Amino acid sequence: RVIFWGGLFVMGGQFGFLARLVWWDYSWDIMEPVTYFVTYGTAIVMYSYFVCVRSDYNFDTARERWNLRTFHKISRRNGFDHEKYNSIVQQMKEIEANMKQLENVGALLNVKKDTM
């Protein structure tokens, strides 16, 4: 969350800085190339993110990536066993899938029982 609020703060600061330069200090004729290069630089940063991560930059995937990175960093520091955790999560998913199948079978049996 801090990263996203920081990004919002930086974008707002950039907007305010460029607005001041356009309307008070300089004119649009001077600032137009500057804003072009700021926009192009932002596009370069986003493309470099895509090249490094192989995923489009949107807030959901960036947040998930950041959370996963933080999780691994903290868990490595505290000696958390990732393999054991992943195996437990996989077992939970299998058990939940089996329970869902049993619920479906139970519902079918109740329907057949009621129709007889």
Side-chain angles (χ1 to χ4, degrees):
R1 287 191 131 184
V2 173
I3 296 294
F4 294 118
W5 282 106
L8 179 64
F9 179 73
V10 168
M11 288 190 306
Q14 178 182 0
F15 176 79
F17 178 70
L18 291 174
R20 173 161 177 86
L21 291 177
V22 168
W23 286 301
W24 284 283
D25 296 338
Y26 301 109
S27 67
W28 176 245
D29 294 332
I30 295 171
M31 290 306 298
E32 183 178 12
V34 173
T35 58
Y36 169 78
F37 284 113
V38 167
T39 305
Y40 192 69
T42 304
I44 290 172
V45 168
M46 294 303 130
Y47 184 71
S48 64
Y49 177 86
F50 171 76
V51 168
C52 293
V53 178
R54 302 283 192 256
S55 173
D56 289 340
Y57 181 82
N58 63 36
F59 290 119
D60 291 333
T61 57
R63 183 187 56 202
E64 288 174 15
R65 181 171 173 77
W66 185 264
N67 288 342
L68 187 62
R69 183 177 169 210
T70 304
F71 170 75
H72 283 286
K73 183 179 177 182
I74 292 172
S75 63
R76 192 177 316 117
R77 187 181 318 143
N78 294 326
F80 186 75
D81 188 6
H82 294 285
E83 292 178 12
K84 186 175 180 181
Y85 172 77
N86 289 335
S87 69
I88 291 172
V89 168
Q90 183 62 32
Q91 288 174 358
M92 286 177 54
K93 288 181 182 178
E94 290 172 3
I95 290 170
E96 288 174 354
N98 290 339
M99 288 176 59
K100 191 67 154 174
Q101 288 177 351
L102 288 174
E103 288 174 3
N104 291 339
V105 169
L108 287 174
L109 289 176
N110 285 337
V111 168
K112 288 182 181 178
K113 188 177 186 182
D114 292 336
T115 57
M116 292 185 176

